[in-house]
Amino acid sequence: MSELSDEALAAAAQGGDAAASEQLLRRYKNSVRGVARSFFLEGGDAEDLVQEGMIGLYRAVTDFRSGGMSFKNFAYLCIRRSIVSAVRAAARKKHSPLNKGVPLPETDEAGGADPEEIVIGSEEASEFFELLQRELTPAEYGALTAYMEGLSMGEIAEQQGVSPKSAENAVQRAKNKVARHFGIARGKGE
């Protein structure tokens, strides 16, 4: 196989001879690396360009027609075009949103949360807030729900028309009552 010309190997490869195709790919692999070395691929590395060049070389093997230019010249042309196309595509930034995207959290196969879990979760939340309304004074309930929404003690105090210290005391009393109801031991300052 190694004695055959490039043109003969290309003809054999097009006829289905995998060994001939592999021989040509091996023969021109260093040439692909040489062509790839003179280019830069934004967001990629040198091996990405070599891979693009190998794709171009494979196209040369499958598309070569004797009677025109030599296989060697045709191969270089295909390799170079493939690499240039990859560089241009990277420069267009067409796929930039995909390449720089952040994956979403994994969900079940249906593409979202389980509807049953959503219903159960909302029922549990509803029951929890009903429990809070039964167990807490209106001031404690208002302070705790505002605290759970992320409001600062100053904002809670302003919302309820009390001092920040009164708001903080209401939140602490509410936390203690809820902890006692669920049998949770709370340390000082929690």
Side-chain angles (χ1 to χ4, degrees), residues 42-43 90 93-103:
E42 185 180 351
K93 300 182 190 245
K94 178 180 175 184
H95 300 291
S96 178
L98 292 174
N99 294 335
K100 294 180 181 175
V102 178

Side-chain angles (χ1 to χ4, degrees), residues 38-117:
S38 62
F39 290 93
F40 171 75
L41 181 65
E42 185 180 351
D45 61 10
E47 283 304 310
D48 292 333
L49 287 175
V50 170
Q51 189 67 34
E52 290 296 330
M54 291 302 287
I55 291 169
L57 176 58
Y58 183 77
R59 283 192 195 123
V61 170
T62 58
D63 296 348
F64 178 73
R65 298 290 174 255
S66 59
M69 65 173 75
S70 67
F71 177 81
K72 182 177 184 178
N73 290 340
F74 185 68
Y76 278 109
L77 181 67
C78 290
I79 292 166
R80 186 170 175 77
R81 282 183 179 169
S82 184
I83 291 173
V84 167
S85 291
V87 170
R88 282 185 182 154
R92 276 195 317 259
K93 300 182 190 245
K94 178 180 175 184
H95 300 291
S96 178
L98 292 174
N99 294 335
K100 294 180 181 175
V102 178
L104 295 172
E106 289 189 29
T107 58
D108 66 351
E109 306 83 40
D114 182 12
E116 183 179 7
E117 289 178 16

Side-chain angles (χ1 to χ4, degrees), residues 3-177:
E3 310 85 37
L4 293 175
S5 69
D6 295 343
E7 289 77 10
L9 285 171
Q14 290 172 6
D17 187 350
S21 181
E22 287 177 33
Q23 178 66 29
L24 275 173
L25 294 175
R26 268 195 304 274
R27 198 177 277 183
Y28 282 88
K29 186 173 186 173
N30 288 334
S31 299
V32 169
R33 289 190 181 281
V35 172
R37 212 175 292 130
S38 62
F39 290 93
F40 171 75
L41 181 65
E42 185 180 351
D45 61 10
E47 283 304 310
D48 292 333
L49 287 175
V50 170
Q51 189 67 34
E52 290 296 330
M54 291 302 287
I55 291 169
L57 176 58
Y58 183 77
R59 283 192 195 123
V61 170
T62 58
D63 296 348
F64 178 73
R65 298 290 174 255
S66 59
M69 65 173 75
S70 67
F71 177 81
K72 182 177 184 178
N73 290 340
F74 185 68
Y76 278 109
L77 181 67
C78 290
I79 292 166
R80 186 170 175 77
R81 282 183 179 169
S82 184
I83 291 173
V84 167
S85 291
V87 170
R88 282 185 182 154
R92 276 195 317 259
K93 300 182 190 245
K94 178 180 175 184
H95 300 291
S96 178
L98 292 174
N99 294 335
K100 294 180 181 175
V102 178
L104 295 172
E106 289 189 29
T107 58
D108 66 351
E109 306 83 40
D114 182 12
E116 183 179 7
E117 289 178 16
I118 292 171
V119 170
I120 291 172
S122 65
E123 287 175 358
E124 288 174 351
S126 177
E127 289 173 9
F128 177 72
F129 282 103
E130 286 174 16
L131 166 80
L132 290 180
Q133 283 183 320
R134 278 193 318 267
E135 299 290 322
L136 305 176
T137 66
E140 292 168 344
Y141 178 81
L144 184 62
T145 55
Y147 179 78
M148 289 168 42
E149 290 172 4
L151 272 64
S152 69
M153 289 301 163
E155 293 169 326
I156 295 169
E158 188 177 315
Q159 185 184 59
Q160 293 193 335
V162 296
S163 72
K165 184 66 177 167
S166 294
E168 186 174 344
N169 287 341
V171 169
Q172 291 304 320
R173 285 192 311 273
K175 284 182 176 182
N176 287 332
K177 286 181 180 180

